[in-house]
């Protein structure tokens, strides 16, 4: 094979890897959604509600397949999040800190799997109680830059605005993500745009079980780049959760009902573990309810952000 052919072949491999990572992990190519956060990553969680003081961990793993031509793209996304709910108040709201560590893999067009560490997220959040069953929160932080070809390489600012209703065993939550990229282009001249994601949850608790539906949407925001094709998707599906004595498990499946410039519809199976690591007030914990005070109507903890 001549040198020029080898260079072109290498470029094609790199491009296919980038596209698979973009489609399946919220990263980007010139035509794909470039959300730094995986669309749908906070569904199932009462992100607008206050949680008991302490440290919590969430592990969310998912496997996705997107119907692209000539072969499907596949991906595995894994995210560990630590949440510290502090005893401190800011403007009357609960102050908490989050740190995430993602590790993802992708198989572009049925090719060899590529894996690597993605962009970690460091952030602070304030949650306010409006009344006994309604809460809102504001989230401000940032994604660190990355060197992997499977993810965005630019640092970005992340803001999120959530509202949760948690009365009578319900968790009805909307969480709006707004991302601002700090670079216009990647080192390989892939254009970055800002983005919006919206994660929606409506679940009901019956004893240790919870059932309901989740949905999410994502879209690139407009740019002045000529020829730019913004990407986006809308997906939904059912959720089932069970609260063990020491942790809670959530499982859900989502399927695209609409997509734009992503190459095809995606089906994704999710599994999440919510685990308390430390609490200063263990005596107040309700049996069979992970990380919920006696005077709280909330569902599972929100560490999965």
């Amino acid at each position: 094979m001549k040198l020029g052919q080898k260079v072109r072949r290498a470029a094609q491999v790199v491009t296919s890897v980038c596209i698979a990572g973009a489609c399946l992990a919220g990263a980007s190519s010139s035509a794909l959604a470039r959300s730094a956060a995986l669309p749908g990553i906070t569904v199932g969680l009462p992100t607008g509600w206050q949680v008991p003081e302490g440290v919590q961990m969430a592990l969310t793993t998912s496997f996705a397949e997107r119907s692209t031509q000539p072969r499907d793209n596949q991906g595995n996304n894994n995210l560990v999040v630590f949440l510290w709910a502090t005893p401190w108040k800011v403007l009357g709201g609960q102050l908490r800190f989050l740190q995430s560590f993602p590790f993802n893999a992708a198989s572009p067009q049925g090719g060899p799997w590529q894996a690597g560490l993605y962009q970690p997220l460091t952030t602070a959040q304030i949650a306010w109680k409006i009344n006994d069953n309604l809460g809102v929160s504001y989230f401000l932080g940032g994604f660190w830059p990355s060197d992997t070809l499977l993810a965005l390489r630019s640092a970005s600012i992340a803001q999120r605005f959530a509202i949760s209703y948690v009365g009578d065993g319900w968790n009805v939550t909307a969480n709006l993500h707004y991302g601002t990229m700090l670079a216009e282009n990647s080192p390989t001249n892939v254009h970055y745009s800002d983005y919006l994601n919206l994660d929606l949850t409506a679940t009901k608790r019956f004893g240790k079980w919870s059932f309901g539906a989740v949905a999410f949407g994502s879209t690139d925001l407009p740019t002045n780049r000529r020829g730019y094709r913004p990407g986006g998707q809308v997906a939904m599906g059912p959720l089932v959760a069970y609260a063990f004595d020491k942790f809670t498990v959530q499982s859900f499946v989502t399927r695209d009902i609409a997509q734009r410039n992503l190459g095809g519809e995606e089906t994704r199976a999710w599994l999440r573990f919510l685990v308390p690591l430390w609490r200063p007030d263990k005596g107040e914990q309700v049996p069979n309810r992970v990380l919920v005070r006696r005077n709280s109507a909330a569902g599972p903890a929100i560490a999965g952000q």
Side-chain angles (χ1 to χ4, degrees):
M1 185 181 293
K2 295 181 180 180
L3 178 59
Q5 293 176 320
K6 290 181 179 179
V7 170
R8 285 193 296 271
R9 177 56 181 164
Q12 291 172 353
V13 171
V14 169
T15 300
S16 65
V17 169
C18 289
I19 290 175
C23 254
L24 298 168
S28 66
S29 77
S30 59
L32 299 175
R34 49 191 47 78
S35 169
L38 177 66
I41 193 60
T42 66
V43 299
L45 302 169
T47 48
W49 188 247
Q50 293 186 353
V51 298
E53 178 186 343
V55 178
Q56 311 163 19
M57 182 191 74
L59 169 61
T60 304
T61 183
S62 65
F63 180 84
E65 183 168 277
R66 187 174 292 280
S67 301
T68 54
Q69 296 296 328
R71 292 180 295 273
D72 293 346
N73 284 336
Q74 296 179 327
N76 170 240
N77 299 79
N78 305 280
L79 182 69
V80 177
V81 177
F82 295 95
L83 179 147
W84 175 28
T86 77
W88 307 318
K89 300 291 184 180
V90 175
L91 301 176
Q94 179 191 49
L95 176 64
R96 50 206 191 205
F97 298 98
L98 296 98
Q99 179 64 54
S100 74
F101 301 95
F103 182 86
N104 300 333
S107 172
Q109 299 285 301
W113 282 85
Q114 311 287 332
L117 294 172
Y118 277 44
Q119 293 181 288
L121 171 68
T122 302
T123 188
Q125 187 176 41
I126 304 173
W128 294 270
K129 270 189 178 182
I130 305 302
N131 57 41
D132 288 343
N133 297 320
L134 186 67
V136 296
S137 68
Y138 173 67
F139 171 115
L140 176 63
F143 286 91
W144 296 90
S146 169
D147 288 330
T148 177
L149 294 176
L150 293 176
L152 288 170
R153 303 178 73 176
S154 168
S156 62
I157 298 172
Q159 297 184 75
R160 299 177 188 176
F161 310 85
I163 182 169
S164 294
Y165 173 79
V166 295
D168 301 320
W170 283 95
N171 170 22
V172 180
T173 295
N175 193 16
L176 179 66
H177 305 228
Y178 174 48
T180 305
M181 306 305 298
L182 298 184
E184 290 188 2
N185 299 287
S186 75
T188 55
N189 204 35
V190 172
H191 182 60
Y192 294 146
S193 73
D194 298 342
Y195 63 88
L196 281 178
N197 296 349
L198 179 62
D199 294 349
L200 301 173
T201 300
T203 62
K204 182 71 165 68
R205 190 179 66 253
F206 301 91
K208 296 183 179 182
W209 290 93
S210 294
F211 302 93
V214 297
F216 62 86
S218 67
T219 184
D220 295 353
L221 293 179
T223 73
N224 295 322
R225 180 109 169 185
R226 189 172 184 179
Y228 173 77
R229 294 184 297 145
Q233 67 186 117
V234 176
M236 62 185 304
L239 178 147
V240 177
Y242 187 84
F244 293 90
D245 289 341
K246 300 296 184 181
F247 61 92
T248 295
V249 178
Q250 294 181 331
S251 63
F252 43 106
V253 177
T254 56
R255 169 71 178 177
D256 281 359
I257 58 174
Q259 63 85 26
R260 177 179 62 180
N261 295 324
L262 296 180
E265 284 73 30
E266 176 191 86
T267 301
R268 182 178 291 269
W270 308 70
L271 186 65
R272 175 183 291 135
F273 298 89
L274 299 164
V275 184
L277 299 180
W278 172 78
R279 284 188 59 186
D281 56 352
K282 294 181 181 179
E284 297 183 15
Q285 188 168 356
V286 177
N288 302 322
R289 294 287 304 283
V290 176
L291 297 176
V292 178
R293 296 181 188 272
R294 290 188 185 277
N295 63 354
S296 171
I302 63 168
Q305 302 184 75

